[in-house]
């Protein structure tokens, strides 16, 4: 089969991989683990309200290091026949709980305090900003359009859940990307008109930070036309993560030059799948994988001479590199071309909640004195 592998060049996109918010979440989790190991019990499990990020290899790594998600707890409870109301009921007393980079619900803070747990909020700064705007709009009694994501199985993206939990149900209109993305501009406007919302009521639009930039631009234009009274805090950029826009822009500039498009990122990672869909939209055979063994040599037909590779915003290079190594092991003469960034990005980590991280040490030391 390797004799049919005729790839001559692999273009690795410059704008790829970890965003500042994910780096912050990783650093926060790593610091929390170090503190727990030094000042608590080294065997102590650290609990995560959601997956820290939507990436399977990364989450497997954290599980191996002694982290456990609420989903893991619930699965174990069902297997053991344990009765419970919420995952919080399954936590041992005085547990260390970390929030997701995607944000958490206000009730989580209340439940943590009630159960005498230590809760560390590791939400991305951009998500926190949208959370604040959502709460502010709700307090004002505004009607909030929220552009979010519901997966085909009915699961709501955790970031969408986080923001909507701050808006009373009567004050929110969820604009689901899964439902609306493939509508024509005419049908999109018809859908919005069909909502038949009162003109006199103040409206505002917010969005999940990882949506498709092209879809969000279309949606914003449609909302502005159908409901011109809507407040747009940033019409041009919306609430999208700048890294997401940069990766999307780099993808669209790279796609016309390649014969195949490979995205390293998980199937449940929204931004990774958006990058994959960018290739599909351009008519380029496109695939997403997490591990080298998922590469199917049947993809590499004789017409595939140049492959473009990128990675999602929750994918560290230690996940990407083995995929590239696998391709070069098939054909050692293949040329690896590391593309320049289309938009220059600073290699920065968003501001850590350092006060809260340091407070974990004091909390553990106080526990040891009792």
């Amino acid at each position: 089969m390797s004799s049919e592998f005729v790839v001559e060049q692999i273009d690795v996109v410059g704008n790829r991989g970890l965003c500042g918010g994910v780096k912050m979440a990783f650093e926060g989790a790593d610091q929390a683990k170090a503190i727990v190991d030094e000042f608590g019990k080294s065997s102590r499990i650290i609990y995560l309200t959601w997956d820290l990020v939507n990436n399977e290899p990364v989450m497997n790594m954290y599980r191996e290091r002694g982290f456990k998600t609420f989903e893991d707890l619930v699965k174990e409870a069902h297997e053991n026949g344990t009765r419970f109301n919420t995952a919080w009921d399954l936590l041992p007393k005085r547990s260390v709980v970390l929030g997701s980079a995607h944000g958490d619900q206000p009730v989580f803070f209340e439940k943590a305090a009630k159960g005498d747990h230590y809760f560390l909020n590791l939400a991305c700064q951009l998500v926190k900003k949208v959370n604040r705007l959502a709460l502010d709009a709700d307090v004002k009694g505004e009607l909030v359009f929220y552009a979010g994501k519901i997966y085909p199985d009915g699961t709501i993206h955790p970031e969408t859940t986080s923001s909507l939990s701050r808006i009373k149900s009567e004050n929110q209109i969820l604009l689901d990307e899964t439902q609306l993305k493939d509508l024509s501009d005419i049908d999109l406007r018809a859908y919005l008109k069909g909502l038949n919302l009162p003109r006199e009521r103040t409206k505002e639009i917010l969005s999940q930070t990882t949506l498709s930039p092209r879809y969000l631009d279309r949606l914003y234009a449609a909302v502005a036309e159908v409901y011109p009274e809507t407040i747009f805090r940033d019409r041009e950029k919306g609430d999208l993560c700048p890294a997401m826009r940069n990766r999307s822009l780099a993808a669209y500039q790279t796609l016309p030059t390649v014969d195949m498009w490979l995205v390293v990122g998980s199937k449940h990672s929204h931004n990774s799948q958006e990058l994959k869909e960018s290739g599909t939209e351009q008519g380029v055979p496109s695939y997403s994988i997490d591990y080298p063994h998922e590469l199917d040599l049947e993809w590499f037909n004789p017409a595939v001479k140049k492959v473009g590779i990128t990675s999602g915003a929750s994918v560290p290079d230690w996940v990407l590199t083995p995929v590239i190594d696998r391709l070069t092991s098939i054909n050692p003469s293949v040329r690896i071309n590391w593309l320049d960034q289309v938009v220059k990005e600073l290699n920065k980590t968003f501001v850590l909640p350092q006060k809260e991280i340091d407070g974990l040490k004091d909390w553990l030391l106080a526990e040891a004195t009792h």
Side-chain angles (χ1 to χ4, degrees), residues 193-236:
K193 289 178 183 177
L195 296 175
N196 197 28
L197 301 175
R199 296 290 179 179
E200 66 276 8
R201 188 168 181 191
T202 303
K203 303 173 185 66
E204 184 169 340
I205 187 164
L206 301 171
S207 80
Q208 186 175 311
T209 62
T210 60
L211 297 185
S212 160
R214 292 195 174 193
Y215 159 69
L216 198 62
D217 290 344
R218 290 180 54 234
L219 179 63
Y220 272 29
V223 170
E225 179 179 317
V226 178
Y227 297 105
E229 66 274 16
T230 301
I231 298 171
F232 292 82
R233 292 184 182 269
D234 192 334
R235 174 67 187 277
E236 183 176 342

Coordinates of all heavy atoms in Angstrom, one line a residue, residues 193-236:
K193 N -37.6 35.9 10.5 CA -38.9 36.6 10.4 C -40.0 35.7 11.1 O -40.9 36.3 11.7 CB -39.2 36.9 9.0 CG -38.4 38.0 8.3 CD -38.8 38.2 6.9 CE -37.9 39.2 6.2 NZ -38.2 39.4 4.8
G194 N -39.9 34.4 10.9 CA -40.9 33.5 11.5 C -40.9 33.5 13.0 O -41.9 33.0 13.6
L195 N -39.8 34.0 13.6 CA -39.8 34.1 15.1 C -40.8 35.1 15.6 O -41.3 35.1 16.7 CB -38.4 34.5 15.6 CG -37.3 33.5 15.3 CD1 -36.0 34.0 15.8 CD2 -37.6 32.1 16.0
N196 N -41.1 36.1 14.7 CA -42.2 37.1 15.0 C -42.0 37.8 16.3 O -42.9 37.8 17.2 CB -43.6 36.4 14.9 CG -44.7 37.4 14.8 OD1 -44.5 38.5 14.2 ND2 -45.9 37.1 15.3
L197 N -40.8 38.3 16.5 CA -40.5 39.0 17.8 C -41.0 40.4 17.8 O -41.0 41.1 16.8 CB -39.0 38.9 18.0 CG -38.4 37.5 18.0 CD1 -36.8 37.6 18.1 CD2 -38.9 36.7 19.2
P198 N -41.4 40.9 19.0 CA -41.9 42.3 19.1 C -40.8 43.3 18.8 O -39.7 43.2 19.3 CB -42.3 42.4 20.6 CG -41.6 41.3 21.3 CD -41.4 40.2 20.3
R199 N -41.1 44.2 17.9 CA -40.1 45.2 17.5 C -39.7 46.2 18.7 O -38.5 46.7 18.7 CB -40.6 46.1 16.4 CG -40.9 45.3 15.1 CD -39.7 44.8 14.4 NE -39.9 44.0 13.2 CZ -39.0 43.5 12.5 NH1 -37.7 43.8 12.7 NH2 -39.3 42.8 11.4
E200 N -40.6 46.4 19.6 CA -40.3 47.4 20.6 C -39.4 46.9 21.7 O -38.8 47.7 22.5 CB -41.6 47.9 21.3 CG -42.4 46.8 22.1 CD -43.3 45.9 21.2 OE1 -43.2 46.0 19.9 OE2 -44.0 45.1 21.8
R201 N -39.1 45.6 21.7 CA -38.3 45.1 22.7 C -36.8 45.2 22.4 O -36.4 44.8 21.2 CB -38.6 43.6 23.0 CG -37.9 43.1 24.3 CD -38.4 41.8 24.7 NE -37.7 41.3 25.9 CZ -37.8 40.1 26.4 NH1 -38.6 39.2 25.9 NH2 -37.1 39.8 27.5
T202 N -36.0 45.6 23.3 CA -34.5 45.7 23.0 C -33.9 44.4 22.9 O -34.2 43.5 23.7 CB -33.8 46.5 24.2 OG1 -34.4 47.8 24.4 CG2 -32.3 46.7 23.9
K203 N -33.1 44.2 21.9 CA -32.5 42.9 21.6 C -31.0 43.1 21.5 O -30.4 44.2 21.1 CB -33.0 42.4 20.2 CG -34.5 42.2 20.2 CD -35.0 41.8 18.8 CE -36.5 41.8 18.8 NZ -37.1 43.1 18.9
E204 N -30.3 42.0 21.8 CA -28.8 42.0 21.7 C -28.4 40.6 21.1 O -29.1 39.6 21.3 CB -28.2 42.2 23.0 CG -26.7 42.3 23.0 CD -26.1 42.8 24.3 OE1 -26.8 43.4 25.1 OE2 -24.9 42.6 24.5
I205 N -27.3 40.5 20.4 CA -26.8 39.3 19.9 C -25.4 38.9 20.5 O -24.6 39.8 20.5 CB -26.8 39.2 18.4 CG1 -26.5 37.8 17.9 CG2 -25.9 40.2 17.8 CD1 -26.8 37.5 16.4
L206 N -25.3 37.7 21.0 CA -24.0 37.2 21.5 C -23.8 35.9 20.8 O -24.7 35.3 20.3 CB -24.1 37.1 23.0 CG -24.4 38.3 23.8 CD1 -24.6 38.0 25.3 CD2 -23.2 39.3 23.7
S207 N -22.5 35.4 20.9 CA -22.3 34.1 20.3 C -21.2 33.3 21.0 O -20.4 33.8 21.8 CB -21.8 34.3 18.8 OG -20.4 34.7 18.8
Q208 N -21.3 32.0 20.7 CA -20.2 31.1 21.2 C -18.9 31.5 20.4 O -19.0 32.0 19.3 CB -20.6 29.6 20.7 CG -19.7 28.6 21.2 CD -20.2 27.2 20.8 OE1 -21.4 26.9 21.1 NE2 -19.4 26.4 20.2
T209 N -17.8 31.4 21.1 CA -16.6 31.9 20.6 C -15.9 31.1 19.5 O -15.0 31.5 18.8 CB -15.5 32.1 21.7 OG1 -15.2 30.9 22.3 CG2 -16.1 33.1 22.8
T210 N -16.4 29.9 19.2 CA -15.8 28.9 18.3 C -16.6 28.6 17.1 O -16.3 27.7 16.4 CB -15.4 27.6 19.0 OG1 -16.6 27.0 19.5 CG2 -14.5 27.8 20.1
L211 N -17.6 29.5 16.7 CA -18.4 29.2 15.6 C -17.6 29.5 14.3 O -16.6 30.2 14.3 CB -19.7 30.1 15.6 CG -20.6 29.8 16.8 CD1 -21.9 30.6 16.6 CD2 -21.0 28.3 16.9
S212 N -18.2 29.1 13.2 CA -17.6 29.4 11.9 C -17.7 30.9 11.6 O -18.8 31.4 11.6 CB -18.3 28.6 10.8 OG -18.1 29.2 9.5
P213 N -16.6 31.5 11.3 CA -16.6 33.0 11.0 C -17.5 33.3 9.8 O -18.3 34.3 9.9 CB -15.2 33.3 10.7 CG -14.4 32.3 11.4 CD -15.2 31.0 11.3
R214 N -17.5 32.5 8.8 CA -18.3 32.8 7.6 C -19.8 32.6 8.0 O -20.7 33.4 7.5 CB -18.0 31.8 6.5 CG -16.6 32.1 5.9 CD -16.3 31.5 4.6 NE -15.1 31.9 4.0 CZ -14.7 31.7 2.8 NH1 -15.5 31.1 1.9 NH2 -13.5 32.1 2.3
Y215 N -20.2 31.6 8.7 CA -21.6 31.5 9.1 C -22.0 32.6 10.0 O -23.1 33.2 9.8 CB -21.7 30.1 9.9 CG -23.0 30.1 10.8 CD1 -24.2 30.1 10.2 CD2 -22.8 30.1 12.2 CE1 -25.4 30.1 11.1 CE2 -24.0 30.1 13.0 CZ -25.2 30.1 12.4 OH -26.3 30.1 13.2
L216 N -21.1 33.0 11.0 CA -21.5 34.1 11.9 C -21.7 35.4 11.2 O -22.6 36.2 11.5 CB -20.5 34.2 13.0 CG -21.0 35.0 14.3 CD1 -22.1 34.2 14.9 CD2 -19.8 35.1 15.3
D217 N -20.9 35.7 10.2 CA -21.0 36.9 9.4 C -22.3 36.9 8.7 O -23.0 37.9 8.7 CB -19.9 37.0 8.4 CG -18.5 37.2 9.0 OD1 -18.5 37.7 10.2 OD2 -17.5 37.0 8.3
R218 N -22.7 35.8 8.1 CA -24.0 35.7 7.4 C -25.2 35.8 8.4 O -26.2 36.5 8.1 CB -24.2 34.3 6.7 CG -23.3 34.1 5.5 CD -23.5 32.7 4.9 NE -24.9 32.5 4.6 CZ -25.6 31.4 5.1 NH1 -25.0 30.5 5.9 NH2 -26.9 31.3 4.8
L219 N -25.0 35.2 9.6 CA -26.1 35.3 10.6 C -26.3 36.7 11.1 O -27.4 37.2 11.2 CB -25.8 34.4 11.8 CG -26.8 34.4 12.9 CD1 -28.1 33.8 12.4 CD2 -26.3 33.5 14.1
Y220 N -25.2 37.4 11.4 CA -25.2 38.8 11.9 C -25.9 39.7 10.8 O -26.7 40.5 11.2 CB -23.8 39.3 12.2 CG -23.3 39.0 13.6 CD1 -23.8 37.9 14.3 CD2 -22.4 39.8 14.2 CE1 -23.4 37.6 15.5 CE2 -22.0 39.5 15.5 CZ -22.5 38.4 16.2 OH -22.0 38.2 17.4
A221 N -25.6 39.5 9.6 CA -26.2 40.3 8.5 C -27.7 40.1 8.4 O -28.4 41.0 8.3 CB -25.5 40.0 7.2
A222 N -28.1 38.8 8.6 CA -29.5 38.5 8.5 C -30.3 39.1 9.7 O -31.3 39.6 9.6 CB -29.7 37.0 8.5
V223 N -29.7 39.0 10.9 CA -30.3 39.5 12.1 C -30.4 41.0 12.0 O -31.5 41.6 12.3 CB -29.5 39.1 13.4 CG1 -30.1 39.9 14.6 CG2 -29.6 37.6 13.6
A224 N -29.4 41.7 11.5 CA -29.4 43.1 11.3 C -30.5 43.6 10.4 O -31.1 44.7 10.5 CB -28.0 43.6 10.9
E225 N -30.7 42.8 9.3 CA -31.7 43.2 8.3 C -33.1 42.9 8.9 O -34.0 43.8 8.7 CB -31.5 42.3 7.1 CG -32.5 42.6 6.0 CD -32.3 41.8 4.7 OE1 -31.1 41.7 4.3 OE2 -33.3 41.3 4.2
V226 N -33.3 41.8 9.5 CA -34.7 41.4 10.0 C -35.1 42.2 11.3 O -36.2 42.6 11.4 CB -34.8 39.9 10.2 CG1 -36.2 39.5 10.7 CG2 -34.5 39.2 8.9
Y227 N -34.1 42.3 12.2 CA -34.3 43.0 13.4 C -33.3 44.1 13.6 O -32.3 44.0 14.4 CB -34.3 42.0 14.6 CG -35.3 41.0 14.5 CD1 -35.0 39.6 14.1 CD2 -36.7 41.3 14.9 CE1 -36.0 38.7 14.1 CE2 -37.7 40.3 14.8 CZ -37.3 39.0 14.4 OH -38.3 38.0 14.3
P228 N -33.4 45.2 12.9 CA -32.4 46.3 12.9 C -32.3 47.0 14.3 O -31.3 47.6 14.5 CB -32.9 47.3 11.9 CG -34.4 47.0 11.7 CD -34.5 45.5 12.0
E229 N -33.2 46.7 15.2 CA -33.1 47.3 16.5 C -32.1 46.5 17.4 O -31.8 46.9 18.5 CB -34.5 47.3 17.2 CG -35.1 46.0 17.5 CD -35.8 45.3 16.3 OE1 -35.7 45.8 15.2 OE2 -36.6 44.4 16.6
T230 N -31.5 45.4 16.9 CA -30.6 44.6 17.7 C -29.3 45.3 17.9 O -28.8 46.0 17.0 CB -30.4 43.3 16.9 OG1 -31.6 42.6 16.7 CG2 -29.4 42.4 17.7
I231 N -28.8 45.2 19.1 CA -27.5 45.7 19.5 C -26.4 44.8 19.1 O -26.4 43.6 19.5 CB -27.5 46.0 21.0 CG1 -28.6 47.0 21.4 CG2 -26.1 46.5 21.5 CD1 -28.7 47.1 22.9
F232 N -25.5 45.3 18.4 CA -24.3 44.5 18.0 C -23.1 45.2 18.7 O -22.7 46.3 18.4 CB -24.0 44.5 16.5 CG -25.0 43.7 15.7 CD1 -26.3 44.3 15.4 CD2 -24.8 42.4 15.3 CE1 -27.2 43.6 14.7 CE2 -25.7 41.7 14.6 CZ -26.9 42.3 14.3
R233 N -22.5 44.5 19.7 CA -21.4 45.1 20.4 C -20.1 45.2 19.6 O -19.3 46.0 19.7 CB -21.1 44.3 21.7 CG -22.2 44.4 22.7 CD -21.9 43.7 24.0 NE -23.0 43.8 25.0 CZ -23.1 44.8 25.9 NH1 -22.2 45.8 25.9 NH2 -24.1 44.8 26.7
D234 N -20.0 44.2 18.6 CA -18.9 44.3 17.7 C -19.3 43.6 16.4 O -19.2 42.4 16.3 CB -17.6 43.5 18.3 CG -16.4 43.8 17.5 OD1 -16.5 44.1 16.3 OD2 -15.3 43.7 18.0
R235 N -19.9 44.4 15.5 CA -20.5 43.8 14.3 C -19.5 43.1 13.5 O -19.8 42.0 12.9 CB -21.2 44.9 13.5 CG -21.7 44.5 12.2 CD -22.9 43.6 12.3 NE -23.3 43.0 11.0 CZ -24.1 43.7 10.2 NH1 -24.6 44.9 10.5 NH2 -24.5 43.1 9.0
E236 N -18.3 43.6 13.4 CA -17.3 43.0 12.5 C -16.7 41.7 13.0 O -16.6 40.7 12.3 CB -16.1 44.0 12.2 CG -15.1 43.5 11.2 CD -14.1 44.6 10.9 OE1 -14.3 45.7 11.2 OE2 -13.0 44.2 10.4

